[in-house]
Amino acid sequence: GSKQVNWAVQNSVVGFGAGNNIASGSRTATTFGAVPTITLTGTSYDNLTSIEFRIYGWSPDNVDISFDNIILGATTVVPEPVTSAALVFAMGLLSYRGLKFARRRFAKPVSI
């Protein structure tokens, strides 16, 4: 017959403990089946050198739970071309204004 199976995933960025699940679910089936893709977003995940995941499984029906075929992948976010172009334009404008200011400030007066 079918049994109740529960699962939850936590990570070291959010923290481990009650209420810190980044994903969780419950199934009633003879086999656990596929779970959804979990996408991690937000600035907390920027510039990490490591991250720890904990996968929990439990069942009130005393069934054995196993996990396999776990795939971890990473995506590097590249700024949009418009953002990069705006940044380059702003840096050029600041450089131009700085040079103009320096020339005016350090220009020697000419006497006639």
Side-chain angles (χ1 to χ4, degrees), residues 40-92:
L40 307 175
T41 59
T43 56
S44 334
Y45 295 100
D46 293 348
N47 304 315
L48 292 178
T49 56
S50 68
I51 186 170
E52 178 183 344
F53 291 94
R54 293 183 186 171
I55 303 170
Y56 300 95
W58 67 97
S59 171
D61 297 318
N62 294 322
V63 296
D64 292 331
I65 300 171
S66 63
F67 297 94
D68 63 2
N69 295 324
I70 297 172
I71 301 170
L72 300 176
T75 303
T76 303
V77 178
V78 178
E80 295 180 27
V82 173
T83 305
S84 298
L87 183 60
V88 168
F89 175 75
M91 293 301 292

